[in-house]
């Protein structure tokens, strides 16, 4: 997701461009995420501020049943990019003291790929679920309880809890 921003860098502070973000990016797990949305490029006194909301669909593995599913999410992007070369003179620019690594290259191309990838990874849930009512896998035989009934007769009682289970079986007095 690369955008030539040479014309915008020549304009005065406050100039705005709106661009469409569409496409697919590779994620570190060997999968890809799909993006669709609009972002705004705002000219600042030192570079460009990128803001917007992008819809992303990334494949995840369910934390209960281990099946893969497409997980939609909305990513809020807000990042400032600094040019490494002045667009008017061609000289190298001095980076601001709080420089964090997002730059516009020598050809005046702004690459959103890394920012979108990082935002996608940060937006993923800690324990992704394919659905809220996912039953997961049987602890004994490993069958997917969403697809079929368990034939192993249920989970065995942990020997450490047998004394408490015996209390449940006693008649009330």
């Amino acid at each position: 997701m690369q955008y030539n921003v040479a014309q915008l860098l020549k304009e005065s502070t406050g100039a705005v461009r709106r661009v469409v973000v569409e496409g697919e990016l590779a994620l570190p797990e060997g999968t890809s995420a799909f993006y669709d949305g609009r972002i705004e490029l705002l000219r600042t006194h030192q570079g460009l501020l990128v803001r917007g909301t992008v819809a992303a669909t990334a494949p995840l593995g369910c934390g209960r049943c281990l099946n893969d599913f497409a997980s939609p999410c909305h990513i809020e992007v807000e990042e400032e990019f600094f040019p490494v070369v002045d667009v008017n003179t061609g000289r190298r620019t001095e980076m601001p003291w709080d420089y964090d690594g997002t730059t516009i290259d020598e050809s005046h191309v702004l690459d959103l790929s890394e920012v979108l990838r990082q935002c996608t990874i940060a937006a993923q849930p800690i324990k992704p679920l394919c659905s809220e009512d996912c039953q997961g896998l049987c602890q004994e035989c490993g069958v997917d309880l969403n697809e079929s009934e368990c034939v192993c007769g249920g989970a065995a009682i942990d020997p450490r809890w047998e004394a408490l289970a015996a209390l449940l079986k006693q008649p009330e007095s």
Side-chain angles (χ1 to χ4, degrees):
M1 315 236 172
Q2 299 180 343
Y3 304 92
N4 188 324
V5 294
Q7 277 305 118
L8 184 57
L9 288 172
K10 290 180 181 179
E11 294 186 19
S12 61
T13 302
V16 175
R17 296 284 187 282
R18 287 174 183 78
V19 295
V20 174
V21 175
E22 275 185 335
E24 178 180 1
L25 287 177
L27 295 177
E29 302 86 27
T31 60
S32 335
F34 297 94
Y35 299 92
D36 184 30
R38 296 188 186 281
I39 58 167
E40 179 180 271
L41 306 174
L42 173 67
R43 178 71 165 110
T44 64
H45 68 287
Q46 291 182 313
L48 296 176
L49 178 64
V50 176
R51 295 188 290 203
T53 303
V54 179
T57 304
L60 296 177
C62 180
R64 290 184 188 159
C65 67
L66 307 180
N67 290 325
D68 291 332
F69 68 100
S71 173
C73 66
H74 290 289
I75 298 170
E76 295 291 327
V77 178
E78 187 167 334
E79 189 78 31
E80 189 167 12
F81 286 77
F82 300 102
V84 295
V85 175
D86 185 275
V87 72
N88 296 315
T89 64
R91 293 187 189 146
R92 284 222 161 289
T93 58
E94 188 174 317
M95 293 297 152
W97 64 272
D98 58 346
Y99 169 70
D100 68 352
T102 51
T103 60
I104 301 167
D105 70 10
E106 294 86 7
S107 303
H108 312 295
V109 173
L110 183 145
D111 189 359
L112 277 178
S113 303
E114 182 61 20
V115 171
L116 288 174
R117 187 188 69 77
Q118 289 179 13
C119 289
T120 303
I121 292 169
Q124 293 176 354
I126 293 171
K127 184 176 180 181
L129 298 177
C130 59
S131 68
E132 289 296 320
D133 58 342
C134 177
Q135 296 178 28
L137 304 175
C138 174
Q139 295 178 12
E140 294 296 314
C141 65
V143 70
D144 187 348
L145 298 173
N146 297 316
E147 297 175 2
S148 62
E149 293 279 329
C150 179
V151 293
C152 69
I157 296 176
D158 187 327
R160 296 173 289 185
W161 298 103
E162 283 181 356
L164 289 175
L167 291 174
L168 290 174
K169 295 178 183 174
Q170 292 179 353
E172 291 184 33
S173 49

